Amino acid sequence: MDNIKFESPTFIKRLKGMLGVDFYRLFHTPLFYIFLGIAGIIPALVSMGFSTTDPVTNQITGSTLENIWIMVASNEPLYVVSDIAEYANMNMVFIFGGIMVSIFIGHDYKSGYVKQLFTTHAKKQDYMMSKSLSCAFAMACMCVTYLIGTIVAGIFLQTSFEVNVGSLLISILSKMVMSLGWSSLYTFLNVIFRRYFGVSIASSFFFGTGILIIGVAAIVGNSPILNVFLYGSSVYACLSSNILTLLVCLGVSCSWTIIYIVVGTFILNRSDVY
């Protein structure tokens, strides 16, 4: 009996186990499905603001939108938003996705799950990675329901669907890839403000709207590098996207993920996580 050795689980086994728990909790909470529904409704609500009506019958006759795919991405990369309406596309998923992440992680601390988790065996980096990956999946799913909602709205408003299919698909895929970068940012923010649930939600909303980057750009001037890296390729992916766009999105998303997981793990390792 004295010769029995207990080997600690490998990184892959630890991460796989934690992902299994997070995905189970994700699929078994109404929160996930509520936000999927919200993402699907957003394009319908926004597009209704551009609808035209018959003055006699007061019925919807069409839309002032030239193309329904504007609800997914802008025609050109958005570096500095001159009109808030330019932002009213799939980028809004990342705002509501941040709120979802805040509630999801906030429940970990409120329920005592984190205390139990770190008391037993889990490593802080595993927690950061698992939350980033599971929440990225949730936001990618929100992008899908947003797309479905856009198509339905376009059919209802009889708006043009003409588009370069290749660029559209790359744009959608690029935004979905950015889900990982955004989820790692939101996970990081919620680790910092873990004791203040309201602040964590407010910070996620603040960063999700891009107000910070717009403000900095207004001071230092328009810079593609500033916007692409700090605000992410969610503004770079557009209806004129190409394969380079996807590569930029992937690079930015991975860079965000590495930075926020490393810094978040550092903070968790040196502070009281309860």
Side-chain angles (χ1 to χ4, degrees):
M1 294 293 292
D2 294 338
N3 294 327
I4 296 178
K5 295 182 179 180
F6 296 94
E7 297 183 358
S8 60
T10 63
F11 166 74
I12 298 298
K13 288 184 178 180
R14 295 197 315 267
L15 183 60
K16 183 178 179 181
M18 190 168 292
L19 280 172
V21 173
D22 280 336
F23 275 107
Y24 178 86
R25 294 176 64 236
L26 184 67
F27 290 135
H28 287 78
T29 175
L31 175 69
F32 175 55
Y33 303 100
I34 290 173
F35 275 90
L36 286 181
I38 291 175
I41 294 174
I42 289 173
L45 294 177
V46 175
S47 61
M48 287 300 292
F50 296 94
S51 62
T52 57
T53 58
D54 187 306
V56 177
T57 62
N58 201 33
Q59 293 182 345
I60 295 176
T61 58
S63 172
T64 56
L65 288 173
E66 297 180 0
N67 193 299
I68 194 60
W69 299 120
I70 294 297
M71 297 301 304
V72 173
S74 60
N75 287 316
E76 300 294 336
L78 293 179
Y79 294 127
V80 176
V81 180
S82 57
D83 184 352
I84 194 63
E86 294 177 333
Y87 191 80
N89 53 44
M90 192 176 282
N91 294 336
M92 292 186 290
V93 165
F94 302 121
I95 299 176
F96 290 93
I99 298 174
M100 184 205 68
V101 174
S102 295
I103 298 174
F104 189 53
I105 295 180
H107 183 263
D108 285 354
Y109 288 91
K110 184 177 180 181
S111 65
Y113 169 72
V114 168
K115 181 176 182 179
Q116 179 184 7
L117 187 68
F118 291 139
T119 299
T120 53
H121 59 279
K123 294 182 179 294
K124 310 300 188 302
Q125 69 175 15
D126 299 345
Y127 178 82
M128 291 290 300
M129 294 184 68
S130 180
K131 280 294 181 289
S132 295
L133 291 171
S134 58
C135 291
F137 171 82
M139 280 195 279
C141 289
M142 289 174 65
C143 288
V144 173
T145 57
Y146 182 97
L147 178 62
I148 295 173
T150 300
I151 295 173
V152 172
I155 294 174
F156 180 75
L157 295 175
Q158 301 178 13
T159 308
S160 173
F161 280 85
E162 184 177 352
V163 72
N164 182 314
V165 177
S167 294
L168 173 65
L169 292 177
I170 291 177
S171 176
I172 295 172
L173 183 58
S174 297
K175 290 178 183 295
M176 293 178 69
V177 165
M178 274 304 300
S179 294
L180 180 59
W182 281 106
S183 67
S184 62
L185 166 61
Y186 293 137
T187 300
F188 170 73
L189 290 174
N190 280 273
V191 164
I192 294 178
F193 301 116
R194 57 190 177 276
R195 296 181 183 276
Y196 310 99
F197 181 64
V199 176
S200 67
I201 291 182
S203 64
S204 295
F205 181 84
F206 176 78
F207 281 94
T209 57
I211 294 176
L212 177 63
I213 300 305
I214 294 174
V216 173
I219 296 174
V220 304
N222 185 16
S223 169
I225 298 298
L226 170 70
N227 289 272
V228 168
F229 186 73
L230 293 183
Y231 188 46
S233 52
S234 51
V235 298
Y236 187 55
C238 60
L239 296 180
S240 58
S241 296
N242 52 41
I243 192 64
L244 177 61
T245 305
L246 178 59
L247 294 177
V248 170
C249 293
L250 182 61
V252 171
S253 190
C254 290
S255 298
W256 279 22
T257 302
I258 293 172
I259 292 172
Y260 291 124
I261 286 179
V262 170
V263 178
T265 301
F266 177 82
I267 293 174
L268 284 177
N269 283 331
R270 286 161 176 77
S271 60
D272 181 7
V273 299
Y274 309 136

